[in-house]
Amino acid sequence: MTENKLIIGTAPDSWGVWFADDPKQTPWERFLDEVAESGYKWIELGPYGYLPTDPTRLAEELKQRDLQISAGTVFTAFHRGLDQWETAWEPARKVAELTAAMGGGHIVVIPAMWRDDVTGEAVESGTLSEKAWDDLFAGHNRLGKTLLEDFGLKQQFHSHADSHVGAQTDIETLLAATDPQYLNLCLDTGHAEYCGASSLELIKNYPDRIGYLHLKQINPDILRKVNEENMTWAAANLAGVMTEPPNGLPDLRAVIEAVEALNRPIFGIVEQDMYPVAFDVPMPIAKRTRNYLLSCGSRTAVS
């Protein structure tokens, strides 16, 4: 990625994949086949263990379909204390090794949710103490430094619904307290909208901290119901709060124009949360979404 393009890719999440192994999910071979048939060239690894973890085999499967890896994904809970490092690092190391071996350049890091993403049950408080914030900052600075020095990978922090970092002020607090050399944003346009944050304001006010994108939209009518009824993310997802572009918010055409104006190469990965979903649903949506996003900018491409 050397040209100043917005490169559109996709992820297992857009095929309803949340877990390494689940009978409700599209089999990985079908996922790769359909991604290629849909016209994408770049994908994320998804949950570690969903795609083959042997680098030689995965590389061959990707080569057969003319696909490349942009990023891996890891999960952290550094706000729970500095001892969380050991819990986070071992799975992160495995993801980092595979991502680097596949030529990927990024690790998308998702913070632990305070409500379970499947059941919606509260597992801890929804607010953080000052110490918990400090531990979160320290953990992510350390993680970003280690990923960069050991694997040449960039940490891209993904704010998330029902986590402690979702709203605009949460994101701004994180950016102010972390080292831009070691942490930047995976700006997820859907989760930002869900939590009341503005993707356009974040791009405008923190242009140097936008390191990666997840492109998705929220159904405003369902989001209104979510807010009125204080629905959990799990319930909101089942209610269809994520919607196919260009039917929702934010305006992805405006987002893409703002990102192109940054004048540097960046990935925009389509990541429409659809777990669980019938196997025949994702590919037509993926094709339409690809075509729509490519129509939104003059320097937006699949490779």
Side-chain angles (χ1 to χ4, degrees), residues 20-37:
D21 184 28
D22 188 311
K24 296 178 182 178
Q25 297 179 165
T26 303
W28 68 266
E29 298 96 329
R30 178 170 178 167
F31 162 69
L32 291 179
D33 288 342
E34 292 190 353
V35 166
E37 187 176 341

Side-chain angles (χ1 to χ4, degrees), residues 36-162:
E37 187 176 341
S38 299
Y40 294 90
K41 300 294 184 182
W42 291 88
I43 62 169
E44 292 182 350
L45 287 176
Y48 184 80
Y50 173 65
L51 296 178
T53 56
D54 176 69
T56 302
R57 184 181 182 196
L58 180 55
E60 183 58 33
E61 296 286 351
L62 295 172
K63 183 180 179 181
Q64 288 176 11
R65 299 167 175 88
D66 192 23
L67 297 174
Q68 298 183 71
I69 297 295
S70 62
T73 303
V74 302
F75 299 85
T76 57
F78 292 133
H79 66 282
R80 294 174 186 163
L82 297 180
D83 60 348
Q84 286 292 315
W85 174 261
E86 297 304 325
T87 302
W89 178 241
E90 182 54 26
R93 180 188 60 78
K94 292 179 180 178
V95 173
E97 286 180 346
L98 186 58
T99 302
M102 294 301 102
H106 306 273
I107 295 292
V108 175
V109 181
I110 299 177
M113 299 168 63
W114 64 271
R115 292 196 289 204
D116 187 271
D117 61 350
V118 175
T119 68
E121 178 184 359
V123 296
E124 60 184 320
S125 171
T127 59
L128 295 182
S129 66
E130 184 175 343
K131 179 184 182 302
W133 275 112
D134 288 342
D135 288 344
L136 184 147
F137 304 146
H140 283 286
N141 277 332
R142 182 181 178 186
L143 178 62
K145 187 174 189 290
T146 306
L147 288 172
L148 185 62
E149 292 180 351
D150 290 4
F151 298 100
L153 298 170
K154 298 176 181 178
Q155 175 182 209
Q156 310 293 355
F157 185 94
H158 182 308
S159 62
H160 202 286
D162 278 1

Side-chain angles (χ1 to χ4, degrees), residues 102-301:
M102 294 301 102
H106 306 273
I107 295 292
V108 175
V109 181
I110 299 177
M113 299 168 63
W114 64 271
R115 292 196 289 204
D116 187 271
D117 61 350
V118 175
T119 68
E121 178 184 359
V123 296
E124 60 184 320
S125 171
T127 59
L128 295 182
S129 66
E130 184 175 343
K131 179 184 182 302
W133 275 112
D134 288 342
D135 288 344
L136 184 147
F137 304 146
H140 283 286
N141 277 332
R142 182 181 178 186
L143 178 62
K145 187 174 189 290
T146 306
L147 288 172
L148 185 62
E149 292 180 351
D150 290 4
F151 298 100
L153 298 170
K154 298 176 181 178
Q155 175 182 209
Q156 310 293 355
F157 185 94
H158 182 308
S159 62
H160 202 286
D162 278 1
S163 79
H164 298 97
V165 184
Q168 187 96 6
T169 54
D170 301 331
I171 297 170
E172 291 175 346
T173 297
L174 175 77
L175 294 178
T178 50
D179 189 331
Q181 184 179 359
Y182 302 133
L183 180 146
N184 284 304
L185 286 183
C186 168
L187 175 57
D188 185 299
T189 59
H191 281 278
E193 191 75 23
Y194 185 96
C195 297
S198 168
S199 293
L200 289 177
E201 285 188 21
L202 289 168
I203 296 167
K204 176 184 177 182
N205 296 334
Y206 303 93
D208 295 336
R209 304 299 294 272
I210 307 299
Y212 196 89
L213 299 170
H214 278 173
L215 297 172
K216 62 166 72 86
Q217 287 187 322
I218 295 290
N219 181 314
D221 294 329
I222 297 178
L223 181 60
R224 192 175 304 113
K225 180 180 179 182
V226 167
N227 291 331
E228 288 172 353
E229 301 180 9
N230 191 28
M231 292 171 66
T232 67
W233 165 245
N237 190 62
L238 288 174
V241 72
M242 293 294 180
T243 191
E244 178 184 342
N247 302 320
L249 296 173
D251 178 357
L252 291 182
R253 187 175 296 276
V255 169
I256 286 173
E257 289 175 355
V259 171
E260 284 191 348
L262 298 178
N263 200 35
R264 54 185 167 85
I266 191 168
F267 283 107
I269 303 299
V270 179
E271 201 217 25
Q272 185 176 342
D273 297 307
M274 290 200 292
Y275 175 87
V277 67
F279 292 173
D280 61 346
V281 170
M283 188 166 73
I285 294 175
K287 289 181 177 179
R288 292 192 297 266
T289 300
R290 171 192 175 274
N291 292 338
Y292 169 70
L293 294 176
L294 291 179
S295 77
C296 289
S298 61
R299 285 184 287 126
T300 298

